[in-house]
Amino acid sequence: MSPNADSLAVEVRGLSKRFGDTAAVAGLDLGLERGSVLALLGPNGAGKTTTVEICEGFLRPDSGRARVLGLDPVTRAEQLRPRIGVMPQGGGAYPGIHAAEMLRLVASCTADPLDPAWLLDILGLSAAGRTPYKRLSGGQQQRLSLACALVGRPELVFLDEPTAGMDPQARRLVWELIAALRADGVSVLLTTHLMDEAETLADRVVIVDQGRAVAEGTPDELTAPPHGQQELRFRSQPALDLELLLAALPEGCRATEVRSGHYVVHGAIDPQAVSTVTSWCAHHGVLAQELRVSRRSLEDVFLELTGRELRN
Amino acid sequence: MKADSEARTSGEAAAAFPPGTFRPSPGRAHPLRMLAAHTRTEAILTLRHGEQALLTLIIPLGLLIGASTLLPGAVDAIVPRILALAVMSTAFTGQAIALGFDRRYGVIKRLSATALPRWVLISGRVLATLIVVALQAIVLGITAVLLGWAPPAGGLLLSIPLLVLGTVTFGAAGVLVGGILRAEIVLALANAIWFVLLLAGGLAVPPEELPGAVGILARFLPSGALAEALQAVLTSGQPPGLQPVLVLLVWGAAAGGLASRTTRPT
Ligand SMILES: Nc1ncnc2c1ncn2[C@@H]1O[C@H](COP(=O)(O)OP(=O)(O)OP(=O)(O)O)[C@@H](O)[C@H]1O
Ligand SMILES: [Mg+2]
């Protein structure tokens, strides 16, 4: 075991799983620090759900290994299950069961559950408590599933696309919930297709493609542009003299007026470069408006790594 | 950027969820508490389910009333067969279909993801089936008495272990069928088997009245065996022969053993 293995809630090394001819997971590595949030990002079919189900002990890997809270999730499932919360990607309730009954059933399996009525209330399901599961809307089913994952006060939760199909209010609420879980020391492994979700919630992001991790880091690390390739944009009066600016900027910077009054500086943008730009504006007696040093969005990074084409 | 968003979400969260709200405190409940909760849920869902109620109660009750009215004086011969039918409907057909759809909807996976151990998952279903069969037997028995049924008291007592054995045997077969095939196929197959066993399996018609090979075969089917055994104890008040009991035991052990290897959670 690696020295920091104890601090990892989930540790996956060289994990592989095939379904017939499909390599669903192909040599995946990842680690979730205790008390932190890890987001798995990846196109449809990348192997996210397969990875999560291996960690939950529902699937046996072909090779490689997963350790969850230090335990083998398949052979030690009985010890592990009471300690984790699981929100599967869709499904997970008797079609005819009432929402409140389902949550109470899951709660009654644990020693010190949260109050099911309170949980239904904060998830906006109180009015749907006596509605059969099959007649709940998609977003309501998702919320119930999340409630079932949390009700046992787990130390680690697996959330497979927790906000899929939710309206913006519900999504905000789930984000608050996940932030509160993290603040209380719960470890969270979630999958998502929403870049802003990963950016807002995750301490670390792993981008998965075709069963492998193609990038890993904090959202900041992933979206930081390579050194010397940043850009600075601002608006000001049209047709300012760029010669002077270029002379003042460090070697290798390019400045252009892309549209009338819209300026872009490419190159190594450091604090000095920003100061140069604003003094140049001051020299002209104009204001630099909407000045920003852009980062790439997580979506840009994602598309760059996984391709822009739709896979089949 | 990250710092901003973090401050924003945790600030809002602090308002909605005081610190410590989700402080981990995992652990499993007492197994008997889990068993009680699971059994109650399964029983309630079976009783609430409309089609299931039709299969488990309305059809046996209709047949009981219809046949007893059409064939006056035959109620003693009819009741044991109706009870056997009720057992088969609930424990086999109802169980198989419910399990098929529960698997389809990820219920088994959901429940195994909790602290619920496997043995509770199985015993909860078995106990719920026994509860439903007991309720059916009471309703059918009271109706039968109103129709003039007068079984020997010893027979009534002996019929209880037989009903339990029949429920477990048919239940194992139901789990076998419902635990491996796709939900739609389970639905079709479980109903088809129900129908065939009803007509040709020694249930509606006693094995000795069935033609040739079918009649012989029916004695070795759980349907024929349960009907014959119930018939014997409820008319004579004497213990059933060894043969039907053995037939039920062998079917139950075979189906249970196979099911424990083939049943899949999804
Ligand atoms: N039970 C299965 N049998 C056969 N193939 C499977 C099975 N489960 C997954 N696969 C295949 O494995 C690959 C990975 O699937 P997985 O569900 O892990 O992807 P995912 O990243 O969760 O996708 P999504 O974003 O669409 O949920 C896919 O090609 C899928 O078709
Ligand atoms: Mg998935």
Side-chain angles (χ1 to χ4, degrees):
Chain A
M1 274 206 173
S2 53
N4 64 346
D6 274 351
S7 71
L8 292 179
V10 177
E11 189 195 18
V12 164
R13 292 288 162 248
L15 199 70
S16 297
K17 177 76 189 175
R18 302 188 69 87
F19 294 106
D21 286 342
T22 317
V25 182
L28 184 78
D29 292 324
L30 59 85
L32 163 65
E33 293 275 341
R34 277 184 203 249
S36 76
V37 178
L38 178 78
L40 287 185
L41 217 55
N44 291 139
K48 302 180 296 295
T49 297
T50 307
T51 302
V52 168
E53 295 201 340
I54 290 172
C55 292
E56 293 162 352
F58 289 125
L59 289 175
R60 212 178 271 274
D62 296 335
S63 61
R65 57 164 223 176
R67 280 290 171 281
V68 179
L69 300 173
L71 301 172
D72 180 318
V74 176
T75 59
R76 306 289 297 281
E78 293 255 319
Q79 286 96 320
L80 191 58
R81 296 274 167 77
R83 297 170 64 188
I84 64 174
V86 170
M87 175 177 182
Q89 182 175 13
Y94 297 94
I97 199 167
H98 296 166
E101 287 172 340
M102 186 67 207
L103 187 57
R104 280 201 301 268
L105 174 63
V106 175
S108 67
C109 297
T110 64
D112 182 22
L114 296 167
D115 177 7
W118 172 79
L119 206 47
L120 285 179
D121 187 39
I122 61 156
L123 284 165
L125 288 171
S126 291
R130 292 183 56 86
T131 307
Y133 180 78
K134 59 173 179 247
R135 276 196 248 124
L136 293 174
S137 75
Q140 289 173 328
Q141 292 182 345
Q142 284 284 91
R143 278 182 264 161
L144 178 62
S145 180
L146 178 63
C148 290
L150 301 185
V151 74
R153 296 183 193 266
E155 48 194 293
L156 163 65
V157 287
F158 293 98
L159 308 175
D160 200 351
E161 299 195 20
T163 59
M166 284 190 188
D167 61 34
Q169 289 85 348
R171 184 174 309 146
R172 290 256 150 233
L173 176 76
V174 172
W175 288 6
E176 282 175 33
L177 258 169
I178 293 173
L181 290 172
R182 177 176 176 278
D184 284 341
V186 180
S187 315
V188 181
L189 180 64
L190 66 91
T191 76
T192 184
H193 291 290
L194 302 175
M195 304 297 152
D196 54 344
E197 185 160 291
E199 238 166 330
T200 308
L201 296 175
D203 294 293
R204 298 190 80 77
V205 173
V206 175
I207 299 182
V208 184
D209 193 20
Q210 299 181 334
R212 278 173 302 109
V214 292
E216 201 271 328
T218 66
D220 269 358
E221 287 165 4
L222 289 173
T223 56
H227 181 72
Q229 292 179 33
Q230 292 105 316
E231 56 178 44
L232 181 155
R233 295 173 172 268
F234 64 97
R235 272 180 48 199
S236 193
Q237 261 176 28
L240 293 175
D241 178 14
L242 287 170
E243 291 302 320
L244 240 123
L245 175 62
L246 271 176
L249 280 169
E251 194 71 11
C253 285
R254 288 171 294 122
T256 41
E257 184 175 0
V258 284
R259 271 191 293 142
S260 164
H262 292 249
Y263 299 87
V264 182
V265 180
H266 288 276
I269 307 295
D270 54 11
Q272 190 54 51
V274 177
S275 158
T276 307
V277 167
T278 49
S279 0
W280 173 73
C281 287
H283 174 80
H284 285 281
V286 297
L287 193 63
Q289 295 172 347
E290 297 175 17
L291 180 135
R292 68 192 163 91
V293 181
S294 65
R295 310 183 66 91
R296 299 181 298 171
S297 69
L298 197 51
E299 179 146 340
D300 288 336
V301 178
F302 180 82
L303 291 174
E304 207 168 280
L305 288 168
T306 61
R308 291 179 184 268
E309 312 287 290
L310 184 68
R311 306 273 174 71
N312 53 7
Chain B
M1 188 165 136
K2 177 71 209 298
D4 284 0
S5 53
E6 206 167 77
R8 193 189 64 233
T9 37
S10 60
E12 283 171 7
F17 311 110
T21 305
F22 298 105
R23 179 184 42 78
S25 174
R28 96 178 43 239
H30 193 281
L32 289 180
R33 185 174 139 75
M34 293 194 243
L35 183 61
H38 184 229
T39 304
R40 202 181 59 217
T41 305
E42 291 279 347
I44 287 177
L45 289 176
T46 308
L47 296 173
R48 187 187 289 157
H49 195 263
E51 291 147 51
Q52 191 100 306
L54 181 74
L55 190 72
T56 54
L57 207 57
I58 310 296
I59 291 178
L61 207 56
L63 286 176
L64 173 65
I65 297 170
S68 314
T69 327
L70 287 176
L71 309 164
V75 70
D76 287 346
I78 291 164
V79 174
R81 298 191 172 277
I82 295 289
L83 285 174
L85 172 67
V87 168
M88 180 171 83
S89 304
T90 301
F92 174 72
T93 310
Q95 175 73 262
I97 295 170
L99 180 58
F101 281 94
D102 287 353
R103 282 171 52 235
R104 149 77 58 84
Y105 289 111
V107 177
I108 309 301
K109 209 171 186 175
R110 157 89 270 160
L111 292 179
S112 6
T114 67
L116 208 73
R118 209 184 150 84
W119 71 266
V120 172
L121 210 61
I122 297 165
S123 347
R125 288 189 99 96
V126 173
L127 283 178
T129 313
L130 285 170
I131 290 173
V132 175
V133 167
L135 292 174
Q136 285 173 290
I138 291 169
V139 171
L140 291 169
I142 291 174
T143 310
V145 168
L146 294 177
L147 291 167
W149 183 48
L156 273 184
L157 226 56
L158 282 168
S159 72
I160 292 172
L162 273 181
L163 287 172
V164 172
L165 176 61
T167 303
V168 172
T169 296
F170 273 109
V175 170
L176 179 63
V177 172
I180 184 165
L181 301 167
R182 277 197 320 166
E184 292 78 12
I185 300 180
V186 172
L187 184 65
L189 194 63
N191 278 314
I193 293 176
W194 180 86
F195 201 64
V196 169
L197 289 183
L198 173 66
L199 294 184
L203 249 181
V205 185
E208 65 266 21
E209 290 171 29
L210 286 168
V214 178
I216 296 165
L217 189 66
R219 282 180 204 282
F220 293 94
L221 291 174
S223 46
L226 182 61
E228 290 306 294
L230 283 172
Q231 176 98 62
V233 299
L234 287 172
T235 46
S236 70
Q238 298 301 309
L242 198 57
Q243 194 255 354
V245 175
L246 274 179
V247 168
L248 287 172
L249 282 172
V250 169
W251 273 97
L258 211 56
S260 71
R261 246 164 287 167
T262 56
T263 300
R264 295 189 304 223
T266 50

